[in-house]
Amino acid sequence: MKYLDEFSDPVLAKRLFDDIRAVTTRPWSLMEVCGGQTHSIIRHGIDQLLPEEIQLIHGPGCPVCVTPLEIIDKALEIASRPDVIFCSFGDMLRVPGSGRDLFKVKSEGADVRVVYSPLDALKIAQENPDRQVVFFGIGFETTAPPNAMTVHQAKKLGITNFSLLVSHVRVPPAIDAIMNSPDCRVQAFLAAGHVCTVMGTAEYPELAERHRVPIVVTGFEPLDILEGIRRAVRQLESGRHTVENAYPRAVQADGSPAARAMLADVFEVTDRAWRGIGTIPQSGWRLSPKYRDYDAEHRFSVTGIETEESTVCRSGEVLQGLIKPHECAAFGKECTPRNPLGATMVSSEGACAAYYLYRRLDAPNKEASSVV
């Protein structure tokens, strides 16, 4: 497929691998922030083909995976109400709450619908003026602008039976929290390219300088990822720690000014809990006072939620890059995509799902021979 096949060219991939091997003289640990990058790395065996000195650590950049258990349980409580039509993207329906998931609530009679855009949920609200319609708005800076735009549109049109259950998180504070952790092993970051298409790169130089860590904005195809790794390793080997844009075909320094203006109007920055990690200051968004009437948590007064995580699931350690998925004793046994114990086994961007899907059930094998 044009514009995709070009970024999976095995000849060019070999050149990049050769360049990485040639420049690598000591061990380095790099974290790819985005779950989409993790799936590409595991699918194409990139981590198995790199020099043994280079370790890739899977980061917390899976929006479904980091949605806190408390928000999941609030979603379940709201969706169970008979006057509510609860709308969500499909990947949230199997994410386990404390005791059930949205599929279970739907099977019990709740009106839970899969939509493909928040505007679909707004249309449902227009078509059902006697029902409350709630859209489950999760994700990073990438998905926040369309959700913000939908709330803005609802207010503009005077649609009062629509609200948003918000669980949006921001990447730069997560990088800061990772680097401040006493268990941190990360020496360079491959930043999520699609996040930077919205927000630009302005927040990263201060992090790179303060933590003395290279940050390379990276795409998602095999050659994108290899180029990001090549640039990061070159910086590490030369003792530099700057921000580089290895994804210029999609990322501009100022991102999308229109999207950022919409975010600034509809949302305000707040502390946010990350599932398996804990609360990270200033790492999320909530609806600003101007749009507070469209906040589902405020509208439905969801309180008194008591959460209970699985006692055997180690997805929190996976999200922090402390272990690989196959190092969890439940992986592939008690925990599978059909019966997940944690969100990392459910999401299309979850590290556990990637390892299970591509049969990475044992320790990495450095004898793999192809990235395509």
Side-chain angles (χ1 to χ4, degrees), residues 208-227:
E209 180 62 30
R210 177 154 51 88
H211 294 295
R212 302 184 66 80
V213 57
I215 300 176
V216 181
V217 179
T218 306
F220 304 89
E221 298 304 316
L223 297 189
D224 288 324
I225 292 170
L226 288 172
E227 175 62 8

Side-chain angles (χ1 to χ4, degrees), residues 301-315:
S301 301
V302 187
T303 59
I305 299 293
E306 296 183 4
T307 62
E308 184 179 351
E309 287 278 13
S310 165
T311 57
V312 298
C313 175
R314 299 179 67 187
S315 60

Side-chain angles (χ1 to χ4, degrees), residues 39 90-91 93-96 101 103 330-348 350-359 361:
H39 269 252
D91 54 2
L93 267 63
R94 197 178 288 278
V95 178
D101 57 28
F103 267 130
F331 174 77
K333 302 179 180 69
E334 298 93 334
C335 184
T336 67
R338 281 189 169 274
N339 296 287
L341 296 180
T344 48
M345 184 61 88
V346 179
S347 171
S348 60
C352 295
Y355 273 60
Y356 191 92
L357 176 63
Y358 299 115
R359 311 306 297 168
L361 307 181

